[in-house]
Amino acid sequence: MDLLSSTLRTLSADMVQKAKSGHPGMPLGIADVASVLWSDHLSFDPEEPNWLNRDRFILSAGHASPLLYSLLHLFGYKVSLEEIQNYGQFDYKTAGHPEYGSLPGIECTTGPLGQGIGMACGMALAEKMAQARFNTEDIKIIDHNIFAICGDGCIMEGISAEASSLAGHLKLDNLILLYDSNNITIEGSTDITFSDDTAKRYESYGWKVYTADGHNKEEIKKVIEEAISYKGAPKLIIFKTHIAYGTPTKQDSASSHGVPLGEDEIKEMKKKFGLPEDKNFYIPEEVSKFCAEKIEAKKKIGLKNTLKKQKN
Ligand SMILES: Cc1ncc(C[n+]2csc(CCOP(=O)(O)OP(=O)(O)O)c2C)c(N)n1
Ligand SMILES: [Mg+2]
């Protein structure tokens, strides 16, 4: 739903603007991928955030935390609008980088680049061990996926190379890494410091690698489906994206990485996406309704439903 990604963008931009601190570029760039993943693929129950067989969602690029908080709020987790409006403030739990245990739905603390990829590989390995122990031929009580969103910085870090190498070696096919490949980092274009061929590198680790347009919803949906059904290797989807997508002058610019976008820039973006330019932290009714429907559908396969089935 286009309006969902637009709302994720405007909420994230408003959070950083109000706090006068944070990283607005990446939430805007990866909002299309995140909205498709959360609407159509991710399996969870916001009322039972600890349901054992939920899919795991890890934001390895923890600096994009406004996106995660917006997703949690819109998809029914106990993350209030007040928390969203007080992003990065003392006495609130919406910290600059996500902290495990502070809000439901945060699967692990992220911030040091690459760390989330390491933890995603660890969770994928832990799940495989649990499957070996508890699943039987007929009953697969553990069969979830681990999804992690990472950025250029995570891919550059040594820890992600080590963990990804092990994941490839162990053929952890329950792991899907969604790479926000926007060719921008804190210092400017990745051309300054980074010329690895990431696809070839991950293929050499034994991963299945896909490349897709990170702003084309149909393509995003299709490639995630393909990645979920591919068995025998961990999967990397390289999404080609634009940092600060939808802003008039900050798109594709490193100036959007870690500085508030500015009121004028945000107003123009809201206009472009058909949202009221004079309203902050605005959530259209259609978006709330859309998310409520998705949550209901997800709950059908959630914990309560599993328990109900077992009782019957
Ligand atoms: C290990 C580590 N080193 C440095 C940083 C500081 N840092 C935060 S974001 C960032 C750049 C990340 O670039 P990218 O992942 O491409 O994010 P984007 O600019 O696209 O939002 C850096 C160097 C960090 N968080 N962790
Ligand atoms: Mg980047």
Side-chain angles (χ1 to χ4, degrees):
M1 189 206 203
D2 286 340
L3 203 52
L4 172 58
S5 5
S6 306
T7 306
L8 289 169
R9 291 188 171 102
T10 53
L11 281 177
S12 299
D14 285 344
M15 274 189 238
V16 174
Q17 193 63 35
K18 188 174 172 211
K20 299 194 181 71
S21 156
H23 299 77
M26 182 171 173
L28 272 55
I30 201 68
D32 289 320
V33 170
S35 69
V36 172
L37 176 70
W38 278 62
S39 303
D40 296 335
H41 305 290
L42 203 67
S43 179
F44 62 90
D45 179 345
E47 283 176 19
E48 301 287 352
N50 296 326
W51 169 40
L52 188 66
N53 199 31
R54 70 193 182 280
D55 283 339
R56 306 304 197 264
F57 175 77
I58 295 155
L59 185 66
S60 183
H63 62 279
S65 60
L67 175 77
L68 176 59
Y69 301 138
S70 303
L71 286 163
L72 292 173
H73 176 71
L74 293 175
F75 280 93
Y77 282 87
K78 288 198 176 72
V79 175
S80 66
L81 193 59
E82 192 186 339
E83 284 287 350
I84 298 279
Q85 289 169 332
N86 288 285
Y87 165 73
Q89 306 305 306
F90 279 122
D91 300 329
Y92 287 89
K93 293 168 180 169
T94 39
H97 295 77
E99 290 175 10
Y100 176 70
S102 63
L103 287 170
I106 298 176
E107 299 286 1
C108 56
T109 298
T110 50
L113 299 168
Q115 182 185 353
I117 296 182
M119 283 194 271
C121 293
M123 287 184 193
L125 174 53
E127 186 197 351
K128 287 284 178 189
M129 292 170 77
Q131 283 177 350
R133 184 146 183 198
F134 299 114
N135 286 357
T136 66
E137 236 355 88
D138 308 328
I139 305 169
K140 312 278 179 226
I141 59 166
I142 298 171
D143 64 351
H144 56 273
N145 284 304
I146 319 291
F147 295 94
I149 287 184
C150 69
D152 299 297
C154 296
I155 292 288
M156 290 169 170
E157 282 292 335
I159 187 162
S160 62
E162 298 166 40
S164 300
S165 160
L166 181 65
H169 177 76
L170 296 174
K171 301 185 172 44
L172 302 179
D173 55 10
N174 48 351
L175 173 62
I176 299 170
L177 186 56
L178 313 157
Y179 170 20
D180 175 44
S181 175
N182 60 18
N183 288 101
I184 294 284
T185 65
I186 197 166
E187 74 274 28
S189 165
T190 48
D191 292 348
I192 303 169
T193 53
F194 188 50
S195 45
D196 290 9
D197 185 327
T198 302
K200 282 192 185 150
R201 186 158 65 88
Y202 270 75
E203 273 161 13
S204 82
Y205 294 152
W207 288 50
K208 173 76 179 163
V209 179
Y210 306 84
T211 303
D213 175 349
H215 298 296
N216 177 330
K217 294 255 175 33
E218 276 168 34
E219 204 175 316
I220 297 168
K221 188 167 186 241
K222 193 163 156 271
V223 75
I224 296 177
E225 265 152 29
E226 273 177 44
I228 289 172
S229 53
Y230 187 90
K231 297 295 167 210
K235 280 84 53 153
L236 169 69
I237 310 175
I238 303 174
F239 283 110
K240 292 288 168 199
T241 61
H242 297 279
I243 195 167
Y245 183 82
T247 55
T249 72
K250 303 266 172 131
Q251 183 169 316
D252 296 320
S253 163
S255 66
S256 72
H257 163 83
V259 181
L261 295 166
E263 301 284 359
D264 293 345
E265 201 82 5
I266 295 175
K267 277 191 177 159
E268 286 302 314
M269 176 179 70
K270 287 177 179 169
K271 248 200 261 176
K272 181 184 157 84
F273 290 131
L275 288 159
E277 58 180 275
D278 52 338
K279 286 191 183 156
N280 292 338
F281 301 104
Y282 176 70
I283 299 171
E285 230 175 274
E286 299 99 291
V287 169
S288 306
K289 198 166 159 264
F290 174 83
C291 291
E293 282 167 13
K294 291 287 175 187
I295 295 164
E296 275 316 302
K298 286 174 193 296
K299 273 190 192 163
K300 293 207 167 88
I301 53 167
L303 173 67
K304 280 186 190 142
N305 200 264
T306 313
L307 291 177
K308 241 185 263 163
K309 264 196 244 156
Q310 279 170 0
K311 272 188 209 153
N312 291 340

